[in-house]
Amino acid sequence: MSITQHIIQHEVMTCKEVWGEMNELLLSDKKLVRNYARRIQLGPCEGNCDDNKYTIKTELFPVEALKVYSAYNLGDTIEQEERQKYFSAHRGGSQGDYRNGMTNKIENVVDCLLNYPKSKRAVITIPNTSTPSHGSDDDAKCMREIHFYLDDNVLNATVLMRAQAAEIFPKNIHFIGSLMQRIADHLQAKSGSKVTIGELFYLATTLVSVRE
C-alpha cells in the first residue's frame, strides 16, 4: 500500500474543494494518505442556513440524510422512521455515532466561551472513555476532538480525526458545520452580540477512499 505524508497548505478551501481533492488523491496510486490537513471555510451562514457552505450532496448522502445524521449527533430528537430510512452501517455505524452526552458538551463550550472568550479549554472530546479498546467499534470513534475558539465574533475550530473515508466526509463536515452553528447561535442568544461561524482547521491522521 502506498503511503504519503501530506504537506499543510495555507490557503482556505471550500468543503467541496476539499472533498474533490480527497477523491483525486485517492484515485491515483495513493491508496492511503497520512496526516491530511486543510483549512476549510464553513461560514458565515447568511439568510437561510439550509443553504450553507458545509452541505455536500452525494448519492450516499442526500440532503435529508445529512440533516438527520447531524440532528442525531447534536443530541436532537429524530423520528424512528427517519432512523430506519437513513441510518446504515455503510454510512458510519457506531464509529460515527457522536451523540452520547453531546448536549452537555455543547453547553460546556458555550459557557466556557461566554465567560472566557479567549479560553483554550472550549473543547469537545468525542470518545467517552479514557481507555478505548482497539477491538471495539464503539470506542473507535473516527472523530476524536474538536477545539473551539473565538476570533473577535467569529467562531473557528480545529478537528482531529483518527481516520477519514472520503465517501463519509460529507456527513462529518455537515455535522461539524452544524455543531459550530449551534454553538454560535447559543453564544449569540446569550451574549446579545452577533456570532458567525468561520474556519475549520481539519486534520485526519489517515485518509482512505471508502470504509473498510
Side-chain angles (χ1 to χ4, degrees), residues 44-185:
C45 174
E46 301 291 348
N48 180 7
C49 285
D50 286 340
D51 183 22
N52 54 57
K53 298 180 180 179
Y54 47 84
T55 296
I56 304 173
K57 296 180 287 186
T58 68
E59 184 176 346
L60 182 60
F61 289 107
V63 172
E64 293 78 10
L66 293 172
K67 289 180 178 180
V68 169
Y69 265 107
S70 290
Y72 173 82
N73 279 325
L74 286 170
D76 296 344
T77 300
I78 64 170
E79 300 297 330
Q80 184 62 27
E81 292 79 7
E82 294 175 317
R83 188 184 182 102
Q84 291 174 344
K85 183 175 181 179
Y86 296 115
F87 279 35
S88 70
H90 187 190
R91 285 178 169 152
S94 58
Q95 293 180 60
D97 186 336
Y98 309 137
R99 179 183 176 90
N100 190 14
M102 186 55 68
T103 300
N104 290 336
K105 293 175 183 181
I106 291 171
E107 290 176 356
N108 180 64
V109 167
V110 171
D111 184 67
C112 177
L113 292 177
L114 276 175
N115 290 287
Y116 308 99
K118 299 300 182 183
S119 178
K120 299 180 286 294
R121 299 184 180 184
V123 175
I124 287 180
T125 302
I126 299 298
N128 290 312
T129 174
S130 59
T131 55
S133 168
H134 71 87
S136 169
D137 283 353
D138 287 337
D139 289 356
K141 305 299 186 188
C142 293
M143 192 181 300
R144 310 305 292 181
E145 281 192 3
I146 312 179
H147 307 165
F148 301 90
Y149 33 96
L150 281 170
D151 296 315
D152 296 322
N153 282 343
V154 178
L155 180 69
N156 298 313
T158 296
V159 65
L160 309 177
M161 305 289 296
R162 172 185 64 79
Q164 176 69 73
E167 67 172 352
I168 307 297
F169 177 76
K171 185 186 83 167
N172 284 336
I173 202 66
H174 191 275
F175 167 62
I176 295 168
S178 299
L179 175 60
M180 290 176 67
Q181 190 64 57
R182 178 70 57 88
I183 291 170
D185 289 346

Side-chain angles (χ1 to χ4, degrees), residues 6 20-30 33 36 207:
H6 205 80
E21 182 185 63
M22 287 178 174
N23 286 293
E24 287 178 8
L25 283 169
L26 296 165
L27 285 174
S28 67
D29 61 344
K30 302 179 182 67
V33 175
Y36 178 89
L207 177 66

